[in-house]
Amino acid sequence: MTSINSMTLEVSNLTKTYWTSNSRFPGGGIQPISFSLKAGTFFTLLGPSGCGKTTTLRCIAGLEIPDDGRLSLGPTTFFDGASNSNLPLNQRNIGMVFQSYAIWPHMTVFENVAFPLRVRSQLKLSAAKITEMVREALNTVGLSGYENRSATQLSGGQQQRVALARAIVRQPGLLLLDEPLSNLDALLRDEMRNELKRLQKQIGITTVYVTHDQHEALEMSDIIAVINAGMLEQMGPPREIYNRPRNAFVAGFMGATNLLPAKLGESAGTGDYRTITLDSGEVIKACFPYPIAANSKIAVSIRPESVSLAAPGTAVPEGYNALEGSVLSSGFLGNIVRYTIQLCSNRIQVHQPADIHFNDGDRIAVHFSPEKSLGLSDERRTA
Amino acid sequence: MTDAVQVNQVRRAAPRRTGSWRGSGIKLYLPVVALTILIAAFVLPPAVMLIQTSLTDYTNPDGGYSLENFARLLEDPALYISAFNSVLFAAGATIVSLVVGASVAWVVERTNAPFKQLALATTVVSLGTPAILYVSAWVFLLGRAGPVNATWRALTGSKDTIVNVYSIPGMMLVEGLLWVPLVFLLCGATFKRQNADLEEAARMSGASVFNTVMRVSLPLAKPALLGLSIFIFIRNIEAFDVPVLLGTPGGVKLLTSDVYLAMTRVPPDLGHSSSFAVVLIVFVSVLLYFYGRISRNADRYASVTGKGFRPRPFDLGRYRWVGGMVILLNFLMVLALPLAAMLWNSVTPFVRAFEIRALSSLTLKNYAVILSDPYYLGLAFNTILASAAAATVVVAVTALGSWFAVRKFPGSQLIEQFASIPIIFPGIVLGVAMIQLALRTPFGLYGSIWLIVIAFIIRYMPYGMRYAQPGVMQIHRELEEAAGIAGATQRSIFRRVVLPLLSPALIAGWLFIFLLAAKELSIAVLLSSTSSKTIAVAMFNQWTNGQPGEVAALGILWTILMSLCATVMIVLTRKDSKSEGAL
């Protein structure tokens, strides 16, 4: 398929608040959010459930009407709060895959995929053209030969593919995916993850993907937006999000990490190293990827794989932080051993290669590089 | 951080926008408002008419509105006697149908007793049989010359009868048996939905089957059973066939038969019957209020959870035959005996008891008369036309109406309320109201079959809602949203997605309404003229004219036809196991 249809998605100051019937507090939704996606981008909205990511997606789709802001795809304005204009969803020319797939059970696979072509009478497609386009879409998703199956006879993975074929059949300008993998079992999910990514690149369609699974987000996306409690926490490429999280929430949400609370005495600039006293009294040196004001609450994020364990008294590598603790428990996971270490008052998770072995209760030295100790803002939102 | 403050004190910066993804403005409002007006045009006039006539003093027609009718009614001790009789009759009949129907339903749905198919067959046939046929069959069985009293006399040598069917106990029994099939269906749905895990947990804790039923199964089913018994009680208060056919000849007066008698008097006492009707409506409304409260609570007791739910029947062990006996007894009482009596009546030239020497005089003359006389063909045509037309209109209106209501289309709030209003009209009351309406319409509605069709539409509107609404609720939202994203308009979403998915519920609802309408007597008996007579009315007339043979023959043929329809309905409802089935 061509990439002519692929267009830039512009979202600016999109706002949608749900109000419960009489309360003065919003029941959920999304605070003003803006982003602009270049044609062909795979963009992921990532966050815990109820954070507003699905609301954002449904606003783009036209299933919800935003309170304010502006939405446009290429030359078409979907919604403009200022002029109070809203393009009905059936005129937006977008494809969407739903969490439940939403395959119509009373239609065959062919009819499901042909539906978007049939209901738009203004397209005036001939029967032959419809057949050709449906075949092409089914071929793209690897379901050739399934045309006459009843949709209910398909497995979960196949239904997923039908939903995808239906979303792309009329070559929409934008593809929306609402947690499409969450109903599949683990193996199939891995397979579909790669498949989706491959298809998206092949078609070259701008895609907005919603998920709460950080692994999916990291593997598939060009750009990730982490959302929490209706607010955009950080937006950027996967590596940046993982390695330089904006704050403690993002660090905690993007994979396992240890967050050690502390208070920052003097302000830190981008890339500064500071020696800080943790709330537990231990002193370590940490790196600050973003500027933080003096007297802020911070958390030092240390990934479990960045820590090494050693017998007490072992020489500390040059410049490394060294803490003391004891092994609380350990679990053998095959490739690694996962230890829970009791420090002064914090407990941390540590991943070690399987060939190093410590017993529960052993006193132990904990070594980690200041480079991998990220000092992050930890002002808890009170939402 | 300032963010933290903002979240809690966020102002409604932008006005909340009207409309939803389905659209906004006049295009979305218009169909909803049009449908609401259509439904209101059906259901409101009879209510208004009834209240108006009940307030009009016909002895002094120019005196404006007055409470004269009510005053006269309340002074009349006859009202209190009728009301007492009605309540007594309804309570007794409810107990009969509940005890029989619920026991059979439990045995069929929750145990491994034999003959389960028989219980279903019994239900299917009885759903299609006009009540008047049952009544005539029981009158024959329990009547003075009937086999029961004949046997009694033969055994004791006395000249007395042991049972008098023309009495309140006799009426309770007959009316109770009439409602057994419906109780069986509705109770069956409740028992089927009970999670066997809860019962097995009780068994694992050491309880016997009896203890499990008493301490777990019954308490779980209690709210549903209570709701059901109020519902059946209401239907018995509204009952018309048995009060008129058994009560009136026996001198037992009930509320519904009083309304009928006031209407058929010459000249009809409109004011009296209307105020009577209003009293009946108030009575029924109070009961319905409690019914609504109880059935709402009943939902909390539904113990079905998610997928993989499969009811597991109790093993009755040595007592399997007891369960089998319950089913057989039900079959005998509800179907076999009455049907046998009808068959016997249909092939004897005049009413006579079961006797060997009567065998020689058996004849198929009654069948020959019915099958050859175009009069009966006309009746069948009238009945099928009226019932099918009403069922079609109701299903069409409620399918669209429940879609609007369930999906909360703007302006759809009133649809459900309006469509539910007729539930407070007992059949005979609606008949009275329709007569008054027809008398005031300039075009010749009075005496036409269309008057009956309109009355049926009003009467069965709530039933249609009951079938269509759960049907819509079962359609996953995303199926409609996906169609919207695919580019479909609301119109084509309804036509291409909602309607096909809703069709099993609609077909079952259509058949249910068709069956009820085809045997409906209380409305049709007041509204039909010679040219617009229905089968049920014809049977009623034949019966009162003393032609039981033809009633029976006609009834047998009609029962066969309607049983076929009922079979289709049951198959459809059972396949679609989530739907609640009948009202």
Side-chain angles (χ1 to χ4, degrees):
Chain A
M1 287 192 192
T2 56
S3 55
I4 319 164
N5 272 324
S6 192
M7 287 183 267
T8 314
L9 176 70
E10 292 275 358
V11 175
S12 56
N13 292 315
L14 178 73
T15 318
K16 171 83 187 174
T17 319
Y18 294 114
W19 297 90
T20 44
S21 49
N22 62 349
S23 73
R24 283 172 297 135
F25 300 106
I30 191 85
Q31 299 299 309
I33 182 171
S34 303
F35 50 85
S36 168
L37 304 181
K38 282 207 293 282
T41 309
F42 194 112
F43 178 72
T44 299
L45 292 163
L46 175 70
S49 51
C51 71
K53 57 190 191 300
T54 298
T55 303
T56 310
L57 190 79
R58 289 173 65 88
C59 284
I60 298 171
L63 289 165
E64 301 285 348
I65 299 181
D67 294 338
D68 210 353
R70 194 168 182 286
L71 281 169
S72 65
L73 180 68
T76 324
T77 301
F78 284 173
F79 175 83
D80 191 354
S83 64
N84 197 12
S85 63
N86 182 49
L87 188 69
L89 82 169
N90 56 349
Q91 292 163 30
R92 289 191 180 190
N93 193 24
I94 44 189
M96 179 160 175
V97 175
F98 288 82
Q99 192 170 4
S100 69
Y101 317 142
I103 302 294
W104 299 301
H106 59 293
M107 299 182 196
T108 60
V109 168
F110 183 92
E111 283 305 319
N112 261 286
V113 179
F115 188 92
L117 305 174
R118 293 201 198 282
V119 291
R120 307 205 99 195
S121 45
Q122 66 270 39
L123 290 179
K124 292 207 170 54
L125 296 169
S126 66
K129 179 69 179 164
I130 289 179
T131 311
E132 186 199 318
M133 289 175 82
V134 172
R135 287 254 158 82
E136 192 187 343
L138 284 173
N139 198 24
T140 310
V141 299
L143 275 185
S144 296
Y146 284 80
E147 285 87 349
N148 295 320
R149 293 279 190 94
S150 154
T152 47
Q153 295 169 341
L154 301 178
S155 70
Q158 288 167 333
Q159 288 193 7
Q160 176 85 79
R161 286 165 194 264
V162 175
L164 195 59
R166 184 178 65 188
I168 61 176
V169 69
R170 68 171 191 210
Q171 301 171 353
L174 180 68
L175 180 62
L176 305 177
L177 305 168
D178 185 7
E179 306 214 20
L181 304 184
S182 60
N183 284 336
L184 298 177
D185 61 49
L187 260 177
L188 204 54
R189 201 174 333 180
D190 263 9
E191 187 192 317
M192 279 308 289
R193 212 191 268 178
N194 294 322
E195 181 78 7
L196 263 181
K197 180 72 186 160
R198 183 189 63 76
L199 275 173
Q200 192 265 341
K201 285 290 165 234
Q202 182 192 329
I203 307 168
I205 188 170
T206 313
T207 301
V208 181
Y209 185 88
V210 160
T211 185
H212 60 261
D213 182 328
Q214 73 274 15
H215 298 298
E216 274 176 22
L218 288 172
E219 187 176 348
M220 299 170 78
S221 320
D222 296 321
I223 297 187
I224 297 175
V226 182
I227 300 181
N228 182 35
M231 304 227 201
L232 183 64
E233 297 277 359
Q234 187 175 8
M235 187 157 72
R239 279 172 195 280
E240 185 187 313
I241 301 262
Y242 188 83
N243 293 327
R244 300 180 66 228
R246 200 79 165 90
N247 53 37
F249 172 83
V250 176
F253 196 73
M254 298 305 297
T257 193
N258 299 296
L259 293 170
L260 307 179
K263 191 126 191 148
L264 185 63
E266 48 175 329
S267 66
T270 307
D272 284 357
Y273 284 86
R274 289 275 182 278
T275 301
I276 47 178
T277 310
L278 298 177
D279 289 352
S280 58
E282 292 148 318
V283 177
I284 59 171
K285 202 169 165 196
C287 164
F288 288 82
Y290 302 96
I292 294 181
N295 295 320
S296 298
K297 250 183 83 182
I298 62 164
V300 180
S301 162
I302 309 156
R303 301 271 179 204
E305 66 270 19
S306 316
V307 182
S308 59
L309 298 179
T314 313
V316 181
E318 177 70 34
Y320 269 45
N321 290 312
L323 297 176
E324 280 203 10
S326 61
V327 178
L328 207 60
S329 66
S330 62
F332 176 64
L333 300 183
N335 54 344
I336 55 162
V337 179
R338 185 166 61 192
Y339 291 98
T340 306
I341 305 295
Q342 178 71 54
L343 299 179
C344 204
S345 65
N346 297 304
R347 282 178 189 176
I348 60 168
Q349 298 280 334
V350 178
H351 294 172
Q352 292 293 284
D355 51 346
I356 305 174
H357 187 72
F358 296 97
N359 292 317
D360 290 3
D362 283 0
R363 292 296 299 170
I364 213 142
V366 176
H367 299 159
F368 50 95
S369 156
E371 243 178 279
K372 305 276 184 172
S373 314
L374 304 178
L376 304 172
S377 162
D378 191 19
E379 299 286 348
R380 292 272 167 215
R381 299 179 193 284
T382 47
Chain B
M1 263 168 99
T2 49
D3 287 4
V5 185
Q6 258 185 13
V7 172
N8 270 349
Q9 298 190 344
V10 74
R11 284 175 303 277
R12 299 189 187 202
R16 269 191 290 174
R17 294 180 194 275
T18 56
S20 71
W21 69 269
R22 295 185 186 273
S24 58
I26 188 85
K27 257 178 84 181
L28 201 62
Y29 269 108
L30 200 63
V32 180
V33 171
L35 190 78
T36 311
I37 292 173
L38 179 72
I39 294 176
F42 272 113
V43 303
L44 294 186
V48 173
M49 189 56 60
L50 209 57
I51 292 168
Q52 208 184 342
T53 11
S54 72
L55 294 178
T56 308
D57 181 4
Y58 283 86
T59 53
N60 176 21
D62 304 323
Y65 293 133
S66 78
L67 290 171
E68 183 60 31
N69 290 319
F70 287 99
R72 230 177 287 154
L73 189 68
L74 293 175
E75 281 164 13
D76 186 359
L79 170 74
Y80 303 100
I81 296 173
S82 300
F84 176 76
N85 283 343
S86 271
V87 170
L88 191 66
F89 158 74
T94 305
I95 291 170
V96 171
S97 50
L98 218 66
V99 168
V100 179
S103 325
V104 179
W106 186 78
V107 168
V108 168
E109 297 292 349
R110 307 290 295 118
T111 75
N112 61 345
F115 312 130
K116 285 186 188 178
Q117 295 305 316
L118 196 62
L120 205 62
T122 308
T123 307
V124 170
V125 178
S126 346
L127 273 182
T129 314
I132 181 163
L133 264 185
Y134 274 111
V135 176
S136 60
W138 283 107
V139 164
F140 172 74
L141 288 170
L142 302 178
R144 278 195 72 85
V148 173
N149 283 323
T151 315
W152 169 256
R153 280 193 296 266
L155 286 178
T156 59
S158 83
K159 295 224 153 109
D160 285 338
T161 54
I162 181 177
V163 281
N164 175 15
V165 72
Y166 299 106
S167 66
I168 289 197
M171 290 161 65
M172 283 175 183
L173 178 72
V174 176
E175 177 75 19
L177 290 176
L178 276 179
W179 285 101
V180 166
L182 196 67
V183 173
F184 168 77
L185 277 184
L186 294 178
C187 269
T190 305
F191 290 141
K192 207 167 10 177
R193 281 187 306 167
Q194 281 195 345
N195 191 346
D197 283 349
L198 301 176
E199 285 160 354
E200 281 176 1
R203 298 276 285 142
M204 294 298 289
S205 313
S208 64
V209 170
F210 179 77
N211 262 327
T212 307
V213 171
M214 296 311 286
R215 287 168 182 269
V216 177
S217 315
L218 268 186
L220 277 174
K222 203 169 102 189
L225 290 182
L226 199 60
L228 180 60
S229 53
I230 295 187
F231 171 66
I232 297 291
F233 183 76
I234 296 172
R235 302 313 310 265
N236 286 333
I237 288 279
E238 299 177 5
F240 173 74
D241 310 52
V242 173
V244 164
L245 294 168
L246 295 183
T248 310
V252 182
K253 289 186 168 228
L254 277 79
L255 291 173
T256 45
S257 49
D258 278 349
V259 175
Y260 176 69
L261 291 178
M263 278 310 282
T264 45
R265 213 175 285 156
V266 183
D269 191 346
L270 276 178
H272 185 68
S273 67
S274 295
S275 46
F276 233 127
V278 170
V279 169
L280 198 50
I281 287 182
V282 170
F283 201 52
V284 168
S285 306
V286 171
L287 289 171
L288 273 168
Y289 170 74
F290 287 108
Y291 172 66
R293 281 184 50 163
I294 287 175
S295 50
R296 248 195 301 286
N297 284 340
D299 288 347
R300 282 189 286 141
Y301 281 75
S303 53
V304 175
T305 45
K307 298 171 196 160
F309 168 73
R310 191 167 50 84
R312 289 174 293 266
F314 280 111
D315 186 357
L316 290 181
R318 304 184 274 141
Y319 297 107
R320 271 190 74 202
W321 63 270
V322 179
M325 285 303 289
V326 170
I327 295 178
L328 270 182
L329 204 67
N330 173 59
F331 165 71
L332 219 60
M333 293 289 281
V334 174
L335 188 65
L337 275 180
L339 210 61
M342 281 187 257
L343 260 175
W344 176 259
N345 276 340
S346 73
V347 292
T348 49
F350 50 90
V351 181
R352 57 188 302 177
F354 281 122
E355 284 165 332
I356 301 297
R357 59 199 154 91
L359 284 175
S360 57
S361 64
L362 293 191
T363 164
L364 288 176
K365 200 190 89 218
N366 288 325
Y367 287 95
V369 168
I370 285 165
L371 290 172
S372 60
D373 192 342
Y375 167 70
Y376 290 103
L377 202 65
L379 287 182
F381 178 76
N382 269 349
T383 312
I384 291 175
L385 173 76
S387 314
T392 307
V393 172
V394 167
V395 166
V397 167
T398 54
L400 200 57
S402 51
W403 185 52
F404 287 156
V406 171
R407 297 302 186 218
K408 297 199 165 52
F409 272 67
S412 65
Q413 294 85 343
L414 284 176
I415 288 182
E416 208 192 328
Q417 267 88 328
F418 279 157
S420 312
I421 286 179
I423 200 142
I424 60 168
F425 292 126
I428 194 78
V429 172
L430 186 59
V432 171
M434 291 311 289
I435 284 189
Q436 295 164 30
L437 268 180
L439 288 174
R440 297 196 190 182
T441 45
F443 38 94
L445 201 55
Y446 187 75
S448 119
I449 188 80
W450 299 109
L451 180 62
I452 298 182
V453 173
I454 294 171
F456 282 173
I457 292 173
I458 297 169
R459 171 95 163 134
Y460 297 117
M461 195 80 85
Y463 294 65
M465 242 14 211
R466 276 298 172 100
Y467 268 92
Q469 234 169 0
V472 176
M473 284 177 193
Q474 280 174 43
I475 298 173
H476 198 297
R477 275 174 181 281
E478 289 188 349
L479 291 176
E480 288 182 41
E481 293 177 352
I485 298 260
T489 56
Q490 291 308 311
R491 205 186 137 106
S492 71
I493 289 177
F494 183 71
R495 194 168 62 84
R496 289 169 180 264
V497 176
V498 177
L499 211 51
L501 293 174
L502 200 54
S503 56
L506 295 186
I507 295 171
W510 190 93
L511 282 165
F512 185 66
I513 293 171
F514 176 79
L515 283 173
L516 287 187
K519 61 179 185 182
E520 164 65 54
L521 177 62
S522 56
I523 295 175
V525 80
L526 286 180
L527 300 185
S528 68
S529 64
T530 42
S531 65
S532 67
K533 209 176 267 185
T534 64
I535 290 274
V537 177
M539 285 190 216
F540 179 74
N541 291 344
Q542 282 174 335
W543 176 255
T544 43
N545 293 341
Q547 297 165 274
E550 280 179 28
V551 173
L554 181 58
I556 294 279
L557 293 175
W558 191 248
T559 300
I560 293 170
L561 188 64
M562 291 298 117
S563 298
L564 291 177
C565 296
T567 312
V568 177
M569 183 196 97
I570 302 259
V571 167
L572 281 172
T573 338
R574 281 180 86 87
K575 199 167 72 184
D576 184 18
S577 61
K578 274 187 222 147
S579 93
E580 284 283 304
L583 191 77

